[in-house]
Amino acid sequence: MHSELNPDDDNAPICEPRLWRDDGWTARVIKNNDDEGWAVEMTRHGDAEPALTGPWTMGRDKKNPKPLDTSAFHTLVKTASEVLRRHEQQLHARLHKSLAVLTPGGRITVTLDIVPDDDDPHALLTATDAGSERLAQVRVNADFRFTSASAEAWVENGFRRFG
């Protein structure tokens, strides 16, 4: 029997052969549209989309899916959590970049922090000294070409605004 989850439900655990909900996650075994097999979706509570969708093992009868159990659920939670962690790390790496510029006065760290706002995408270019004191910050376009050369030029030109 297939039950739809409503976000207004209390998040009481469910332990059914094709639906398992616990620890902030829901595992749902579904028919795999690509072939004759089955798939499992792992969705973190509050997220609109599954964090992980993958093939699911057939049961002994070779027609129905293997039922979910505690061990499988915990393995799926661990795998889905790792997928989310990797996505977050990739997003962070794409939105936050850092370079060091060596000057006669010492090392200056220049960072670019992209703000992916739908209405006003932009980035902040920031310079800090070795003691982490902010020396300058300017707003630049979100597609600003952040390279060693552009960071060095900004420092050498006294942190003047671009454009």
Side-chain angles (χ1 to χ4, degrees), residues 96-100 109-112 125-126 143-151 154:
H96 306 284
K97 300 177 182 180
S98 178
L99 291 169
T109 301
V110 179
T111 59
L112 180 74
L125 192 62
T126 307
D143 62 354
F144 177 79
R145 186 159 160 75
F146 187 61
T147 63
S148 293
S150 65
W154 184 53

Side-chain angles (χ1 to χ4, degrees), residues 98-101 103 105-111 126-136 154-155 159:
S98 178
L99 291 169
V101 176
T103 70
R107 177 186 168 137
I108 294 177
T109 301
V110 179
T111 59
T126 307
T128 54
D129 65 15
S132 298
E133 183 176 331
R134 185 176 0 178
L135 302 172
W154 184 53
V155 171
F159 310 111

